[in-house]
Amino acid sequence: MTSPDTEFISILGAGGTPEPGGTARLAKSLPDALPILGLSDLVVFPGMVVPLLVESAPSIRLIDDVVGGDRFVGLILQRRAEVDNPAPADLWEHGCVARVLKMLKFPDNTVRVLVEGLRRFQVQKYESTEPYLRAKIELRKDISENSLELTAMTRAAKQQFQEIINLSPSLPDQVKLLALNTEEPGKLSDLIAANINISLDERQHLIETAAVKERIQRLQPLLGRELEVLSLGSKIQKDVAASMSKTQHDFYLREQLRAIQRELGETDAGTAEANELREQVEKANLPPEVKKVALKELQRMQQMPPAMAEFTVARNYLDWLLALPWSKSTEDKLDLAAAEKILDEQHYGLQKVKDRLLEFLAVIKLNRQIKGPILCLVGPPGVGKTSLGKGVAEALGRKFIRISLGGMRDEAEIRGHRRTYVGALPGRIIQSLRRAESNNPVILLDEIDKIGADFRGDPAAALLEVLDPQQNSTFTDNYLDLPFDLSRVLFFTTANWLDPIHPALRDRLEVIELPSYTAQEKLHIARRHLVPRQLAEHGLNGKQVKLPSATLLKTIQEHTREAGLRQLEREIAALIRKAARKIASQRGKPVPVVIKPDELKFYLGPAKFTAETAEKITECGIATGLGWTPVGGDILFIEATRMPGKGHLILTGSLGDVMKESAQAALSFLRSQAKSLGMDLSDFNKFDIHVHVPAGATPKDGPSAGVTIFVALVSLLTHRPVRSDVAMTGEISLRGRVLPVGGVKEKVLAAARSGIKHVLLCEQNRKDWDEVPAEVRRKIKAHFVKHSSELLPLALRPK
């Protein structure tokens, strides 16, 4: 598929041929078989010189062969533009023989050629299709006649074309010159067809028509239509100019009236204020609908006494209309390399988010009218969701606004109050745009999962319009009662988890999950960001206080256990505070304070966490599971015990219905397989089994504890302890199949923080293992199982 290299197409013919007698002489020597090149969106006419861009390999080879030979090629329009390598069925039968004037090859494996149209032709048959199309052709001469009717039609067409040229300043001077000097009807018809705005189908009809009289007859209605469109456009431009002149005239008269009033001493405060507001409305570049409402409100305000309460309401409303950035925007920085550098400097990791933002920036660079995406960053607290919005704004060169949605319960916070209420104001979105003074800022809607709802409405429902790219171009605030275009705003939302978000709202969000940080990532972020920031806040520098990497890593491992970085920053701040006290207490020349790893106990006290698992399993009936929470993954111990009773299953630990059902399914499968597992359950009805999950004040639910409960029950009934360095997650079915679960990455990171060496996962979760950081995969060995029979040899200690 070949397309025009530029929008400018020049025409040579009728006194403008590239060389004397060139076209006529070449026409006699044209071959009867030619290579055929398909054009995606261009019809070439005889006498037309046009640059083409050739991209596909077969077409490039065709051009090479043509340039190395007689330089003649057949150009035919494709029936469908999207076909890259057209077959004979994809091409029309008529085209134009062209001569390649010039060829240039470029480093991106494309070729630019300059071709000159010579003669019309019709394909007789295709001789070959490889390596490119080659066809036997029949040249078609222009069929002309020497009649008064054709002469009159030619003069009429020429006159209309001259009028079109006069109304089209974009046409090059060369076309205007050729139009004046071309008298031959055939060449004139081709010149007109190549330069007026008509469809490809109409151009193809004209290239297929050899009869000159018929071509001019086809062109006459097209010329009339084009002339009518251009005349209407010219009239609209004149009307706009006249309207501007009237505005200037009114302004001049108003200024004269104001000067007369000043001379007579008749100007009062109300009139001066109204005149000032009117001037602001005229200068504010408001949309027509907004300007109309503003002038109407101003006229209404002028008729009120200033002491009237409604006067203040109208004045405040006008102030809001004038203060909003209806047409004022910030110029985007479209340097992808600079944007990527800013994002990398301010945030470590978060590659998915950075890639998505750089993709958006690339699309803006290609299409300025693109609507902004609605991105939702979901992850544990402290992983940098909120600060990322500010970094994005800086990378794009836009203003940044943060709106906290946590605890918001009133719909009017989003949509605003109607002006009938005392003290009414626009919603938070419109207020933010006024502060930003730009209609394309980055707005961060923080903690969207913590929106509430009560008798005052549901803010989440109000956000449905705000966060829908197809609707927010006409967002209407209750206070303004006018549509405001939010489509250019880049919205970010943050959440710790998706479940509380309204399903309709969640459907409008492009969710990007931010995982927990590994120890090495925390170390990198601490050295690059946290330590320099805390040193600056405490009035110190890196020469006065030194925190080696080993010290920071030990702080991460022994004094924090979190998915994010907030506790780590607090611990670093505590270290620097104590170091600052030492420096302030020194006399004489200050000595730098270097905090070594073995000195942490004097600064931060004894270790709060150990690198080993939270509990060494020495008894039967205890198994280590992995759970997901909104703040990251965690390990949990499932305990099972047996006591005299009536065969009941007792479940405690604030468990949800799904988790209770998982425990019942695990016990049912275990009882069905007791014989194969070597267990004697003949006295099962004489005992009760109690399953407990510690941290009873914390609600727990989900099916992922199924395999852990199963292993704990097998350990209890076979008197074989579970290995302390093994943790597991997965759902179990009544047939003993191990089913996949979610949150694998967070769960494995939690296992690594707790010193687990082996994790048991479902075979179908193998794809999720690749998302786990490489440093964690090196520390932990993953075992993928399909059936519960594979679990027990890996989880239980040998007899």
Side-chain angles (χ1 to χ4, degrees):
M1 181 172 67
T2 306
S3 59
D5 191 28
T6 64
E7 295 181 358
F8 172 74
I9 296 175
S10 61
I11 299 295
L12 294 178
T17 50
E19 57 184 61
T23 301
R25 178 161 39 82
L26 285 170
K28 296 178 182 179
S29 60
L30 292 176
D32 59 355
L34 287 175
I36 302 299
L37 182 64
L39 303 179
S40 60
D41 53 359
L42 177 67
V43 176
V44 176
F45 288 90
M48 180 176 177
V49 176
V50 60
L52 299 176
L53 171 65
V54 184
E55 296 178 300
S56 65
S59 299
I60 293 175
R61 181 171 176 181
L62 182 153
I63 294 297
D64 287 338
D65 292 349
V66 166
V67 172
D70 55 12
R71 289 182 172 258
F72 295 126
V73 62
L75 304 178
I76 301 180
L77 178 68
Q78 297 177 194
R79 296 178 185 269
R80 291 181 300 160
E82 65 272 12
V83 178
D84 289 333
N85 294 306
D90 298 321
L91 301 174
W92 296 97
E93 295 180 356
H94 294 77
C96 182
V97 178
R99 180 182 64 171
V100 178
L101 301 177
K102 186 181 294 186
M103 178 185 74
L104 290 174
K105 292 189 176 181
F106 287 80
D108 58 352
N109 294 325
T110 61
V111 173
R112 271 76 165 177
V113 293
L114 187 68
V115 298
E116 176 196 2
L118 301 176
R119 288 280 294 275
R120 285 175 170 79
F121 74 87
Q122 181 178 3
V123 174
Q124 297 298 310
K125 66 175 181 178
Y126 284 90
E127 297 179 341
S128 63
T129 58
E130 295 294 336
Y132 45 77
L133 297 178
R134 186 175 182 86
K136 188 174 181 61
I137 66 168
E138 177 186 356
L139 296 175
R140 304 190 69 194
K141 295 182 179 180
D142 283 354
I143 303 173
S144 185
E145 60 184 57
N146 190 12
S147 66
L148 292 176
E149 183 182 2
L150 179 59
T151 303
M153 291 171 59
T154 303
R155 289 182 180 179
K158 185 174 183 179
Q159 182 178 357
Q160 285 183 304
F161 188 49
Q162 289 287 355
E163 294 179 14
I164 289 174
I165 290 175
N166 294 333
L167 294 173
S168 303
S170 59
L171 286 177
D173 294 337
Q174 185 183 11
V175 174
K176 300 177 183 179
L177 189 63
L178 290 173
L180 288 172
N181 294 282
T182 302
E183 299 294 339
E184 187 179 334
K187 291 184 178 181
L188 180 65
S189 64
D190 289 338
L191 175 67
I192 294 173
N195 284 279
I196 63 173
N197 187 16
I198 57 177
S199 68
L200 286 176
D201 289 337
E202 292 166 338
R203 292 182 192 272
Q204 182 62 29
H205 283 307
L206 292 170
I207 198 68
E208 292 176 1
T209 306
V212 176
K213 183 178 179 180
E214 185 180 347
R215 285 211 302 269
I216 295 182
Q217 285 175 335
R218 282 182 178 272
L219 280 172
Q220 282 180 330
L222 301 177
L223 284 167
R225 184 186 65 186
E226 182 71 8
L227 185 58
E228 185 177 352
V229 171
L230 291 173
S231 299
L232 183 59
S234 177
K235 180 178 180 299
I236 292 172
Q237 290 182 348
K238 290 178 180 177
D239 290 345
V240 171
S243 175
M244 291 178 63
S245 299
K246 183 180 182 303
T247 302
Q248 294 170 352
H249 179 258
D250 292 347
F251 174 75
Y252 177 70
L253 292 178
R254 197 171 288 114
E255 286 294 318
Q256 283 187 327
L257 179 61
R258 190 176 300 163
I260 293 170
Q261 287 177 337
R262 281 199 303 267
E263 288 295 328
L264 296 174
E266 294 179 354
T267 305
D268 56 26
T271 304
E273 183 181 23
N275 292 337
E276 183 181 352
L277 286 172
R278 188 183 303 276
E279 184 177 349
Q280 291 179 16
V281 169
E282 296 293 342
K283 292 181 178 179
N285 194 20
L286 301 176
E289 184 180 358
V290 178
K291 184 176 181 180
K292 180 180 177 181
V293 171
L295 291 173
K296 184 177 179 181
E297 192 71 17
L298 178 58
Q299 184 178 0
R300 180 169 163 267
M301 189 187 79
Q302 283 182 287
Q303 298 171 359
M304 301 178 194
M308 191 176 180
E310 191 68 14
F311 182 89
T312 305
V313 173
R315 175 60 201 262
N316 288 339
Y317 181 66
L318 281 171
D319 286 342
W320 273 101
L321 291 183
L322 293 170
L324 287 175
W326 298 96
S327 56
K328 184 179 179 181
S329 59
T330 307
E331 185 69 19
D332 286 322
K333 295 179 181 176
L334 299 179
D335 188 341
L336 292 177
E340 185 174 10
K341 182 179 179 182
I342 291 172
L343 291 174
D344 288 337
E345 285 177 354
Q346 296 189 357
H347 293 84
Y348 181 77
L350 308 179
Q351 198 58 43
K352 285 185 179 180
V353 187
K354 293 177 183 176
D355 289 343
R356 180 64 185 87
L357 293 170
L358 291 172
E359 290 165 6
F360 171 63
L361 188 60
V363 173
I364 288 182
K365 193 171 183 178
L366 300 175
N367 179 12
R368 297 294 184 92
Q369 303 303 319
I370 187 69
K371 295 181 179 179
I374 314 296
L375 303 180
C376 180
L377 307 179
V378 180
V383 295
K385 300 185 297 297
T386 303
S387 62
L388 185 66
K390 194 169 185 179
V392 170
E394 184 177 343
L396 292 175
R398 295 190 181 188
K399 302 289 183 66
F400 174 73
I401 296 292
R402 174 181 170 272
I403 301 176
S404 177
L405 302 180
M408 184 181 291
R409 294 179 176 272
D410 189 355
E411 180 221 5
E413 291 277 350
I414 303 297
R415 285 193 175 277
H417 296 86
R418 300 195 181 277
R419 281 183 288 152
T420 52
Y421 296 101
V422 176
L425 284 173
R428 300 275 291 277
I429 302 293
I430 296 297
Q431 292 183 37
S432 300
L433 291 171
R434 179 179 180 176
R435 289 197 301 273
E437 299 180 344
S438 169
N439 63 7
N440 66 338
V442 175
I443 294 184
L444 179 74
L445 302 176
D446 213 2
E447 309 294 354
I448 197 172
D449 56 332
K450 308 203 174 40
I451 294 178
D454 60 13
F455 65 93
R456 293 171 292 181
D458 185 359
L463 284 172
L464 294 179
E465 182 183 7
V466 176
L467 299 182
D468 191 337
Q470 304 303 321
Q471 300 179 24
N472 62 9
S473 59
T474 56
F475 170 70
T476 302
D477 187 274
N478 288 334
Y479 181 85
L480 298 179
D481 201 23
L482 288 167
F484 193 97
D485 186 3
L486 297 179
S487 62
R488 300 193 64 196
V489 177
L490 177 56
F491 283 102
F492 270 81
T493 65
T494 69
N496 294 130
W497 58 325
L498 290 173
D499 289 355
I501 303 177
H502 193 285
L505 182 57
R506 188 164 64 233
D507 183 60
R508 286 160 167 78
L509 304 176
E510 183 178 339
V511 177
I512 301 177
E513 295 188 358
L514 275 65
S516 308
Y517 288 121
T518 65
Q520 289 300 320
E521 287 175 337
K522 289 181 180 179
L523 175 62
H524 191 98
I525 294 170
R527 293 193 61 82
R528 182 191 284 187
H529 300 288
L530 304 185
V531 172
R533 183 163 66 207
Q534 289 300 323
L535 286 171
E537 289 181 3
H538 290 80
L540 299 170
N541 57 51
K543 294 181 179 180
Q544 294 172 295
V545 178
K546 296 183 180 179
L547 293 174
S549 297
T551 303
L552 291 172
L553 189 59
K554 190 171 182 180
T555 303
I556 293 168
Q557 294 173 342
E558 298 185 357
H559 294 271
T560 66
R561 182 156 293 171
E562 57 178 343
L565 299 162
R566 290 199 176 105
Q567 182 60 32
L568 175 60
E569 186 165 13
R570 284 192 286 268
E571 298 294 342
I572 291 173
L575 288 173
I576 293 176
R577 280 198 308 272
K578 296 183 184 301
R581 181 180 175 184
K582 275 191 173 184
I583 292 173
S585 302
Q586 292 177 3
R587 295 183 178 179
K589 185 178 180 181
V591 178
V593 175
V594 181
I595 303 177
K596 298 179 180 178
D598 53 2
E599 296 175 348
L600 279 179
K601 58 186 176 181
F602 303 111
Y603 286 86
L604 301 177
K608 300 180 181 69
F609 305 97
T610 61
E612 299 299 323
T613 56
E615 182 178 330
K616 289 290 185 181
I617 300 175
T618 57
E619 302 177 17
C620 300
I622 302 175
T624 307
L626 297 173
W628 180 92
T629 70
V631 296
D634 202 359
I635 65 168
L636 61 154
F637 293 91
I638 294 181
E639 304 171 349
T641 188
R642 192 180 185 193
M643 55 196 166
K646 297 182 179 181
H648 295 155
L649 175 63
I650 303 170
L651 301 171
T652 58
S654 190
L655 308 184
D657 292 339
V658 177
M659 198 167 182
K660 290 178 181 178
E661 292 171 0
S662 295
Q664 188 63 57
L667 179 60
S668 298
F669 172 71
L670 185 147
R671 291 179 64 185
S672 68
Q673 302 294 320
K675 186 174 181 181
S676 61
L677 295 173
M679 294 184 293
D680 182 13
L681 297 183
S682 58
D683 58 348
F684 183 80
N685 292 331
K686 297 179 182 179
F687 292 91
D688 288 342
I689 292 181
H690 186 170
V691 176
H692 176 69
V693 183
T698 304
K700 311 168 190 70
D701 204 0
S704 62
V707 296
T708 314
I709 295 173
F710 172 74
V711 170
L713 292 174
V714 173
S715 171
L716 173 69
L717 298 175
T718 59
H719 306 290
R720 293 174 61 188
V722 178
R723 292 172 55 183
S724 301
D725 60 348
V726 173
M728 61 208 77
T729 183
E731 182 180 356
I732 195 166
S733 72
L734 279 177
R735 294 181 292 162
R737 294 173 58 237
V738 179
L739 304 179
V741 294
V744 171
K745 183 176 182 179
E746 286 74 15
K747 293 175 181 178
V748 173
L749 290 176
R753 289 196 298 266
S754 301
I756 297 293
K757 303 298 181 185
H758 301 267
V759 292
L760 307 183
L761 303 171
C762 172
E763 177 65 34
Q764 295 180 44
N765 282 124
R766 186 183 291 274
K767 63 182 184 301
D768 301 311
W769 180 252
D770 295 334
E771 296 184 7
V772 177
E775 61 173 289
V776 175
R777 295 202 301 268
R778 288 193 294 267
K779 292 180 181 178
I780 294 181
K781 184 175 182 180
H783 304 270
F784 300 96
V785 298
K786 297 180 179 178
H787 196 268
S788 58
S789 58
E790 304 172 43
L791 281 170
L792 302 180
L794 297 169
L796 299 179
R797 295 181 188 175
K799 293 184 179 179

